[in-house]
Amino acid sequence: AQSVSQHNHHVILSEAASLELGCNYSYGGTVNLFWYVQYPGQHLQLLLKYFSGDPLVKGIKGFEAEFIKSKFSFNLRKPSVQWSDTAEYFCAVNGWRALTFGSGTRLQVQP
Amino acid sequence: SQTIHQWPATLVQPVGSPLSLECTVEGTSNPNLYWYRQAAGRGLQLLFYSVGIGQISSEVPQNLSASRPQDRQFILSSKKLLLSDSGFYLCAWSAPDWSTDTQYFGPGTRLTVL
């Protein structure tokens, strides 16, 4: 069975600080990897995804993630966070027809 | 463009009462449909998915059931709610051919069982 681990449950940063959220997955086959974000009071929405090709993928709002196959990791990064990035972030892996989500990381950006 | 609707947005129900949550998708045909539950402090847990009318796969044995009476309608039900059924329920859809595997989520229903 596949699983996803997000190591940071709650992160507090000041504006302009750099962000890296960890995500590790466990799955024996080919995976598709996702980061979803849930802003306060809004739908869960796709931030970025990796299916194949360049392991460094860029998403919306300046976010990027790097797939490192040897480490089973798909960490999310942003060089300079803004107050509007305050949200909950979920890493997910799709092995067969369904997404397995991590427990989420709540990011709080202080102005 | 595709849209996904869920209702009700919030629900407070007593233990032992029945439940019916509805999800509908517009702008696409034969979508794959999903029900997830998000409990406080936890990630999203897949409950059911459906690849077509009347075709339901259950991921976790529980007090809930799902049905798909129409192509773009997905219903989550329970005959008798338990306290542990409280949570945030999300419906999602994806393209029928699994080509992208990207899932798109509805606004969710917050269920509180008292």
Side-chain angles (χ1 to χ4, degrees), chain B residues 26-107:
Chain B
E26 297 176 356
T28 185
S29 296
N30 196 30
N32 300 317
L33 296 172
Y34 310 83
W35 278 111
Y36 289 86
R37 176 170 58 200
Q38 184 180 14
R42 297 185 175 183
L44 283 76
Q45 179 186 37
L46 177 67
L47 301 176
F48 302 94
Y49 72 89
S50 171
V51 299
I53 296 174
Q55 301 178 62
I56 309 295
S57 295
S58 174
E59 291 296 306
V60 181
Q62 62 219 320
N63 184 42
L64 302 169
S65 62
S67 61
R68 185 169 177 174
Q70 300 180 44
D71 181 44
R72 289 169 289 178
Q73 184 185 30
F74 205 24
I75 296 173
L76 183 69
S77 303
S78 174
K79 292 181 179 178
K80 287 185 178 182
L81 284 169
L82 306 172
L83 285 174
S84 57
D85 292 324
S86 292
F88 191 54
Y89 289 83
L90 287 165
C91 182
W93 72 272
S94 68
D97 61 358
W98 307 102
S99 59
T100 68
D101 285 342
T102 300
Q103 295 182 18
Y104 301 93
F105 288 82

Side-chain angles (χ1 to χ4, degrees), chain A residues 6 8-23 35-37 39 47-48 56 60-66 74-90 104-110:
Chain A
Q6 290 183 245
N8 315 101
H9 298 292
H10 190 192
V11 174
I12 303 174
L13 295 173
S14 299
E15 278 193 311
S18 63
L19 170 72
E20 181 160 4
L21 302 182
C23 173
W35 276 97
Y36 281 84
V37 60
Y39 297 103
L47 196 57
L48 50 78
L56 184 63
I60 60 173
K61 304 186 180 185
F63 285 91
E64 65 178 31
E66 184 175 13
F74 190 55
N75 292 354
L76 180 71
R77 300 195 292 249
K78 186 171 183 179
S80 177
V81 295
Q82 300 173 319
W83 177 80
S84 58
D85 294 324
T86 294
E88 190 153 16
Y89 295 80
F90 294 93
T105 297
R106 185 172 300 277
L107 172 65
Q108 183 179 346
V109 180
Q110 297 176 332

Side-chain angles (χ1 to χ4, degrees), chain B residues 3-19:
Chain B
T3 56
I4 179 168
H5 304 279
Q6 285 186 246
W7 64 89
T10 60
L11 190 61
V12 180
Q13 292 284 94
V15 169
S17 64
L19 173 73

